[in-house]
Amino acid sequence: MNILTLDFETYFDDDYTLKKLTTEHYIRDARFEALGCGFRWMYSTGEPAYQWIAGPDLESYFATIDWNEHAVLMHHAHFDGLILSHHYGIKPKFILDTLSMARLQLGNHLSVGLESLARHYGLASKTVPYDRMRGRHWADMDHDLRSTLAAGCLHDIELTFDIFQRLGAGFPAEEYQVIDSTVRMFTEPKLLGDIETFGKVWVHENERKGELLRVLDVTPESLQSADRFAELLRTEGVEPETKEGKNGQIFAFAKTDDFMQGLLENDDERVRTLAEARLGLKSTLDQTRAERLGFMATRGPMPLYHAYCAAHTTRWGGGDKINIQNLKRGSDLRKGLRAPSGYRVVKADKAQIECRILNYVAEQWDVIERFAQHEDPYTGIASRFYGREITRNDPAERGVGKQLELSCGYGAGADTIVR
């Protein structure tokens, strides 16, 4: 299979930009315009050929390509791949993505943008004239800008292929298929969104926050401002704790701070409610997700972004400002995702897979043996915690055992476990 490297250059302005919009919104917005696309062809002779096609000519040019004969290489294939799929109806035979490959080969602690990878490998910098392109449609560009844009795009393609060859040395062959499938979840969306369900979630969250404010008789500003929230706590007889920030001491008001966790468990109901309101108003996760998913659903099937190898464990992460993997159990946001006609959404779960793998990696053979004997993996640690025998007939206590077992496996400290 031949490798075809391609890269789109697209219109953007101060408001219509990836800095303000998600990738999905940007590409499926009515303002979208492909200024052009660059190509790197690899022929049987082994010699590459580079080609730039202006935006107005792309549709007819794409019709001349047999997409079943090419693997398409892109840097950030979610972006270019969705353009191919949504605007031109093109679904390549196979998708290669240097951005995803770089996360596995170099580590997700490094920037894997094309410019960063070029620096990493000592290659020439990007030359696309983004400062001159802003707010300029293809029809608005003079010959010099068009030529400079085309040259910059072709240089990006050269960088992409060069980086691909470097990353490909020793790259696990089976992971190419994983990357291809991961990208297609976004570029070839199948799930549909129930706009009414997403709307109900948004309204419910809005009303819940309003009720919290009514009960407390405080303003949103008092809760969102760290200094004013500290004064509210002092009024209730609670002295706020601080922690070291980038520029000195700051209040320990983050959701993960032990102080805030303590407030959520405070004996004083008003203190607890203040903490819940502070976190509820500062963290509008469900409401924001409902809004994004709802608007996404108005533009068609739901492109769900999974970032390959996003964590140091190499698991997937979220992308495009939505992590579809961690919707809360029982959340109506889950119910808002619908299968197309003739299909069903099925939740697949490998029995106790996390516990099995954690104990295998830790060489905790006594727990592995319990699995071999079909014994419950969580009741043992639960029994030690409660000081009495816990069985499957104690679901709440067994659930604590599961939390303890997995928390230990993932390296939770004593303070977290005690809390």
Side-chain angles (χ1 to χ4, degrees), residues 4 6 59 83 87-88 90 111 127 190 202 232 234 243 249 263 277 286 335 337:
L4 168 59
L6 65 77
E59 189 167 358
I83 295 174
H87 289 283
Y88 301 100
I90 295 169
S111 171
T127 61
K190 299 293 190 295
W202 192 95
L232 286 174
R234 291 188 180 106
K243 62 181 180 180
Q249 291 292 306
L263 292 183
D286 278 354
K335 299 174 185 176
L337 296 171

Side-chain angles (χ1 to χ4, degrees), residues 102-103 106-120:
R103 287 205 192 101
L106 303 179
N108 53 55
H109 61 292
L110 299 175
S111 171
V112 291
L114 191 61
E115 178 71 20
S116 297
L117 291 177
R119 283 197 303 270
H120 177 81

Side-chain angles (χ1 to χ4, degrees), residues 72-84 95-100 179 183 186-187 305:
V72 177
L73 170 63
M74 299 162 276
H75 187 79
H76 192 196
H78 291 77
F79 178 80
D80 298 279
L82 185 58
I83 295 174
L84 283 175
I95 294 173
L96 299 165
D97 180 30
T98 43
L99 186 148
S100 296
I179 291 173
V183 173
F186 185 76
T187 62
Y305 197 118

Side-chain angles (χ1 to χ4, degrees), residues 27 30 49 120 139 145 189 231 238 280 289 327 377 382 400 404 418:
I27 291 173
H120 177 81
L145 180 53
E231 288 304 315
V238 177
R289 280 177 168 176
L327 300 182
V400 172
L404 284 167
V418 168

Side-chain angles (χ1 to χ4, degrees), residues 356-397:
R356 293 170 186 263
I357 297 297
L358 282 168
N359 281 282
Y360 179 82
V361 171
E363 299 182 1
Q364 193 73 35
W365 305 124
D366 58 326
V367 178
I368 299 299
E369 181 60 26
R370 289 209 296 273
F371 280 116
Q373 299 301 322
H374 304 289
E375 297 176 10
D376 191 292
Y378 304 128
T379 53
I381 193 170
S383 297
R384 290 171 60 193
F385 181 78
Y386 284 101
R388 59 184 175 84
E389 184 180 3
I390 302 299
T391 70
R392 286 184 176 272
N393 295 322
D394 305 299
E397 291 84 354

